[in-house]
């Protein structure tokens, strides 16, 4: 079966059977079979709908069904230094020693703001004791810090955007290699940038699958919004939420007990209240956590408080191993009988 | 004849074209340690740049519609082999695009992989440098100045870090047994005050672009050399007396390179020094 199609784009012969050039017999129309044979036949079936328009000398100029324009040249794309997925993180950890810092906290606790502040301090050489050495996620870090450059006719209400992940089942990680000035040692840290809803889900539904990476974390930062602890109206609820989160973490981590630092933001408004910390500490103790406190101000509206205060100390605290373990090689003078064989005896003493 | 290729990398207005023009003047007058071995066959492009410099002006930005220009010149190190030095140049937008949109045309990617070394350019006090203020490190200034036009653009030091990462990943990868070299050229070096110049280019980068400075120190797969470059040691476009002075002398004698050696910060008047280091 063939379908007659006219080369004149205005002609609707194939639909109406009427020649636009008013030829009673379409066969006479020059567009149908004139010198150039400009009317074409679209053959069905085996020729797969291809239609060829020819000119006088018979050369094929267009093949209908093929693209009208040539495909644009696509430049090869370069790997972008965006957030790392868990597979990239595995590769990185295989390559070198990486300190994974597990950051958890409810929405609005200031998790992203803290990372943005850390990055901006490094970007201006203003982080005490550390300088920037490298990052596999530099573009991602710059993107999250962009809000802190905005001038909304004054100090903006919100410095960083609410974190949303493209893949809601997998955490995105940010990497920083720091040079510690004290001993010129390079230290790799990796932090997750997670939406606070994940922590909320962890509390309400014990939804812990997405947090499986916390098993490899050396230190946990439980981020809390310091303003909630400062105001008495919200303090009780804030303590309640925080202790819930710590209890969920203790279940999630099974027997592992990484160090846990309670990171309170908004230090520019007030210091973290002592009694609130005591309650959290007492709650976490039986769960096996020795909670430490770090109070930071990622940004600051208060002229007396420098923005980024406490972040350098927080990094130092996170990198020092919390060694409260028994000394395996005690000094001989402290032992009752120095002539005994210390090595063999050690387990019995411990 | 062996070929050595040096690729020029840097954003718009970073001084790539003017540097190549000035290098040609030194090579032509045989004023440098790097010696040319004969006359290049095509000098139309390079002469067009030199025409500006010889009038006491800087060549304007490279036309982005222009085709890629390769400056090829046969050179000789000491009594060694004659090598053809190929220096492809193109508008800085290409490199900016490589970072901002993570895209680079295939022929340039091939060029990087084939190249023996690279010159990475950053210009002192360029109006194209982006160093946005933020609420953590410049709260007081931001409060005073208010408007922060560059808040959505990638800071120059991030662009430099990403270009460095691209070079470390790809530069000379077709020839893996040779360790590639990256010379960082801090151009318009004469714009700095004497104290900053005396501290050397590495200190300048540390103060101005801490991320880039850190990344240079963390480079594993390539060697890096940092040079403060001034092609005529002044700005003839703004200083008429200086312009008269350099036009009265031989322009191939003007200019200097500042670099750090084991003995401290050194100044040398051979502007081809970074190229000699990069391909030696």
């Amino acid at each position: 079966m063939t379908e007659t199609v006219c080369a004149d784009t205005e002609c609707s012969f194939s639909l109406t059977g009427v020649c636009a050039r008013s030829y009673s017999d379409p066969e006479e129309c020059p567009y149908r079979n004139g010198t150039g044979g400009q009317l074409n036949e679209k053959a069905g079936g085996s020729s797969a709908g291809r239609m060829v328009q020819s000119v006088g000398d018979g050369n094929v100029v267009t093949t209908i069904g093929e693209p009208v324009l040539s495909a644009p040249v696509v430049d090869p794309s370069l790997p972008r230094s965006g957030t790392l997925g868990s597979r990239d993180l595995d590769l990185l950890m295989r390559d070198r020693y990486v300190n994974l810092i597990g950051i958890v906290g409810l929405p609005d606790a200031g998790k992203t703001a803290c990372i943005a502040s850390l990055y901006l301090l490094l970007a201006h050489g203003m982080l005490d004791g550390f300088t920037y050495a490298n990052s596999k996620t530099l573009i991602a870090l710059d993107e999250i810090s962009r809000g802190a450059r905005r001038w909304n006719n004054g100090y903006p209400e919100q410095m960083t955007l609410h974190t949303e992940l493209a893949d809601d089942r997998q955490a995105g990680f940010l990497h920083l290699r720091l040079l510690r000035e004290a001993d010129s040692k390079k230290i790799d840290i990796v932090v997750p940038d997670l939406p606070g809803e994940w922590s909320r889900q962890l509390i309400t539904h014990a939804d812990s699958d997405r947090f499986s990476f916390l098993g490899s974390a050396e230190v946990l930062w439980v981020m809390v919004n310091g303003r909630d602890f400062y105001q008495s109206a919200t303090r009780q609820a804030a303590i309640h939420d925080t202790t819930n989160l710590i209890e969920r973490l203790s279940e999630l981590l099974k027997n592992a007990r990484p160090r846990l630092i309670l990171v309170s933001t908004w230090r520019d408004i007030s210091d973290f209240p002592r009694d609130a910390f005591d309650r959290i500490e007492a709650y976490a103790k039986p769960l096996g956590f020795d909670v430490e406190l770090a109070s930071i101000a990622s940004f600051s509206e208060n002229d007396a408080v420098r923005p980024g205060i406490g972040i350098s100390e927080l990094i130092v605290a996170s990198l020092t191993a919390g060694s409260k373990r028994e000394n395996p090689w005690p000094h001989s003078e402290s032992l009752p009988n120095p002539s005994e064989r210390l090595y063999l005896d050690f387990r019995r003493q411990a | 004849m062996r070929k050595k290729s040096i690729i020029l990398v840097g954003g718009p207005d970073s001084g790539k074209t003017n540097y190549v023009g000035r290098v040609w003047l030194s090579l032509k007058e045989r004023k440098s340690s790097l010696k040319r071995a004969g006359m290049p066959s095509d000098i139309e492009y390079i002469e067009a740049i030199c025409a500006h410099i010889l009038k006491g002006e800087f060549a304007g930005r490279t036309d982005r519609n222009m085709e890629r220009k390769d400056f090829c010149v046969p050179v000789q190190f000491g009594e060694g082999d004659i090598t053809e030095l190929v220096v492809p140049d193109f508008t800085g937008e290409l490199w900016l695009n490589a970072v901002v949109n993570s895209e680079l045309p295939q022929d340039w990617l091939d060029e990087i992989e084939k190249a023996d070394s690279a010159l990475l350019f950053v210009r002192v006090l360029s109006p194209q440098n982006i160093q946005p203020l933020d609420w953590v490190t410049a709260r007081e200034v931001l409060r005073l100045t208010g408007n922060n036009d560059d808040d959505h653009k990638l800071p120059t030091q991030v662009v430099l870090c990403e270009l460095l990462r691209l070079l470390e990943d790809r530069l000379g990868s077709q020839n893996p047994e040779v360790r590639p070299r990256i010379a960082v050229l801090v151009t318009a070096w004469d714009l700095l005050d004497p104290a900053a110049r005396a501290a050397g280019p590495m200190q300048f980068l540390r103060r101005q672009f801490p991320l880039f400075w850190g990344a240079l120190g963390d480079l594993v797969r390539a060697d890096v050399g940092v040079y403060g470059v001034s092609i005529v040691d002044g700005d003839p476009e703004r200083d008429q007396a200086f312009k008269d002075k350099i036009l009265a002398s031989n322009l191939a004698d003007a200019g200097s390179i500042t670099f750090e050696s084991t003995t401290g910060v050194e100044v040398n008047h051979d502007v081809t020094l970074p190229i000699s280091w990069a391909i030696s």
Side-chain angles (χ1 to χ4, degrees):
Chain A
M1 185 201 103
T2 58
E3 184 191 347
T4 319
V5 181
C6 184
D8 182 355
T9 52
E10 300 283 301
C11 184
S12 59
F13 182 82
S14 63
L15 291 175
T16 58
V18 179
C19 174
R21 303 268 161 185
S22 306
Y23 287 92
S24 52
D25 180 3
E27 290 295 320
E28 292 172 11
C29 176
Y31 283 81
R32 165 74 179 90
N33 58 1
T35 51
Q38 283 154 316
L39 182 72
N40 308 287
E41 290 191 341
K42 187 162 93 182
S46 60
S47 51
R50 282 167 65 88
M51 189 167 96
V52 177
Q53 181 179 323
S54 312
V55 288
D57 57 9
N59 285 345
V60 175
V61 290
T62 315
T63 304
I64 292 183
E66 284 193 1
V68 180
L69 299 171
S70 56
V73 179
V74 180
D75 293 337
S77 56
L78 306 167
R80 196 173 162 78
S81 52
T83 47
L84 301 174
S86 35
R87 189 175 296 175
D88 310 313
L89 184 63
D90 279 348
L91 284 175
L92 182 69
M93 287 177 125
R94 232 175 281 168
D95 202 34
R96 50 168 65 232
Y97 186 80
V98 175
N99 278 279
L100 176 63
I101 299 177
I103 303 184
V104 290
L106 296 175
D108 215 19
K111 298 179 290 298
T112 308
C114 173
I115 301 169
S117 186
L118 169 65
Y119 164 72
L120 288 169
L121 289 169
L122 285 168
H124 293 84
M126 288 167 77
L127 185 71
D128 295 337
F130 297 92
T131 56
Y132 172 90
N134 214 332
S135 168
K136 297 209 177 292
T137 58
L138 188 58
I139 298 278
L141 284 165
D142 199 72
E143 272 166 6
I144 62 168
S145 69
R146 216 157 276 182
R149 300 195 185 125
R150 217 143 284 158
W151 162 257
N152 298 337
N153 257 336
Y155 193 82
E157 242 328 277
Q158 199 177 359
M159 290 286 183
T160 50
L161 288 176
H162 183 80
T163 307
E164 282 174 16
L165 295 180
D167 180 353
D168 198 34
R169 287 150 301 163
Q170 211 196 77
F173 296 91
L174 297 162
H175 165 252
L176 269 173
R177 186 170 302 151
L178 306 174
L179 179 72
R180 185 160 60 194
E181 284 173 342
D183 54 1
S184 297
K185 196 176 166 211
K186 284 179 184 162
I187 298 156
D188 284 67
I189 61 169
V190 167
V191 294
D193 187 26
L194 305 179
E197 285 78 17
W198 285 26
S199 297
R200 173 76 68 201
Q201 285 281 319
L202 177 67
I203 294 177
T204 54
H205 294 89
D207 191 354
S208 61
D209 294 349
R210 297 179 292 194
F211 284 103
S212 54
F213 68 89
L214 287 180
S216 337
E218 296 197 18
V219 54
L220 299 178
W221 292 358
V222 175
M223 304 277 303
V224 293
N225 185 334
R227 280 186 303 188
D228 295 343
F229 290 84
Y230 170 59
Q231 296 151 354
S232 57
T234 49
R235 188 180 307 148
Q236 295 296 329
I239 296 172
H240 185 79
D241 279 343
T242 308
T243 46
N244 267 343
L245 182 56
I246 294 176
E247 187 154 356
R248 285 292 193 205
L249 287 173
S250 73
E251 293 163 8
L252 169 93
L253 291 165
K254 303 193 177 73
N255 294 323
R257 285 293 173 269
R259 292 175 56 217
L260 195 154
I261 305 181
L262 184 72
V263 184
S264 162
T265 55
W266 293 90
R267 179 160 159 187
D268 51 321
I269 305 254
S270 103
D271 283 331
F272 196 79
R274 183 78 229 173
D275 58 323
F277 179 69
D278 287 345
R279 275 184 59 188
I280 293 170
E281 193 184 25
Y283 192 96
K285 191 94 188 161
L287 299 171
F289 289 113
D290 283 327
V291 183
E292 298 161 52
L293 177 70
S295 187
I296 63 165
S298 304
F299 303 97
S300 170
E301 285 179 82
N302 181 348
D303 283 340
V305 177
R306 184 168 52 84
I309 194 168
I311 291 185
S312 167
E313 292 79 358
L314 175 60
I315 299 290
V316 171
S318 305
L319 298 178
T320 34
S323 54
K324 285 182 185 162
R325 295 183 208 101
E326 199 85 26
N327 176 10
W329 313 112
H331 292 296
S332 50
E333 57 266 29
S334 63
L335 291 164
N337 187 353
S339 65
E340 280 180 28
R341 298 175 72 179
L342 295 178
Y343 180 78
L344 293 177
D345 221 21
F346 170 67
R347 280 201 176 280
R348 259 170 278 159
Q349 286 175 22
Chain B
M1 190 170 17
R2 276 196 324 139
K3 268 193 179 183
K4 284 229 177 197
S5 160
I6 289 195
I7 193 155
L8 303 183
V9 182
D13 194 39
S14 54
K16 300 182 289 297
T17 304
N18 278 294
Y19 176 70
V20 181
R22 177 63 188 77
V23 164
W24 169 235
L25 283 183
S26 282
L27 287 173
K28 183 178 169 306
E29 299 274 326
R30 303 188 188 279
K31 294 274 188 185
S32 52
S33 57
L34 188 66
K35 298 283 181 231
R36 76 185 155 95
M39 193 76 174
S41 50
D42 180 1
I43 56 170
E44 186 191 3
Y45 159 69
I46 199 82
E47 284 293 317
I49 304 167
C50 286
H52 288 276
I53 302 176
L54 292 169
K55 275 191 286 183
E57 293 166 6
F58 294 120
R61 71 185 310 165
T62 310
D63 185 354
R64 63 178 87 179
N65 296 320
M66 192 185 76
E67 283 189 14
R68 177 183 140 181
K69 296 287 179 189
D70 288 4
F71 170 52
C72 307
V73 58
V75 292
Q76 189 173 20
F77 302 100
E79 297 303 309
D81 292 343
I82 294 174
T83 306
E84 184 170 37
L85 181 66
V86 185
V87 187
D89 184 20
F90 196 69
T91 168
E93 268 86 9
L94 174 99
W95 299 112
L96 197 58
N97 192 45
V99 174
V100 175
N101 300 323
S102 310
E103 276 181 2
L104 191 65
Q106 186 64 49
D107 57 334
W108 281 94
L109 214 50
D110 295 344
E111 205 59 58
I112 293 180
E113 292 180 355
K114 274 194 306 207
D116 300 276
S117 38
L119 305 184
L120 179 53
F121 287 77
V122 50
R123 206 187 106 186
V124 170
L125 297 174
S126 165
Q128 302 266 336
N129 285 354
I130 293 164
Q131 289 173 295
L133 303 168
D134 63 75
W135 285 104
V136 177
T137 57
R139 178 180 60 175
E140 281 72 20
V141 191
L142 194 51
R143 240 183 235 156
L144 278 177
T145 58
N147 208 7
N148 198 6
D149 293 335
D150 293 336
D151 63 357
H152 58 284
K153 292 186 188 153
L154 269 187
T156 299
Q157 58 173 343
V158 173
V159 174
L160 289 169
C161 287
E162 290 293 291
L163 288 175
L164 191 66
R165 189 172 67 94
L166 170 69
L167 290 176
E168 195 185 14
D169 284 353
R170 306 279 182 121
L171 183 64
S173 55
Q174 290 188 358
N175 196 6
E177 63 270 20
V178 180
R179 196 172 154 82
R181 288 188 157 184
I182 301 171
V184 177
L185 272 66
V186 185
T187 55
W189 186 247
D190 52 89
L191 288 181
L192 293 177
D193 60 79
R197 284 206 299 268
M202 215 40 189
Q203 276 306 312
F204 166 78
L205 291 179
R206 178 172 192 169
R207 227 183 36 247
Q208 213 65 29
F209 303 115
L211 296 179
F212 181 53
W213 172 82
L216 284 174
D218 198 53
L219 218 54
V220 178
R221 212 186 64 81
D223 288 329
V224 71
V226 182
Y227 301 89
V229 178
S230 178
I231 61 164
V232 289
D233 258 341
D235 187 349
E237 290 182 350
R238 291 203 194 140
D239 184 347
Q240 187 60 41
F242 176 74
K243 184 173 177 174
D244 295 343
K245 192 183 120 201
I246 58 162
L247 288 180
S249 63
N250 187 345
L251 268 164
D253 291 325
S256 65
I257 298 285
T258 308
F259 61 101
E260 275 147 74
S261 67
T262 44
T263 53
V265 177
E266 271 186 51
V267 180
N268 192 308
H269 288 283
D270 180 3
V271 294
T272 64
L273 211 65
I275 293 186
S276 313
W277 175 80
I279 56 176
S280 60

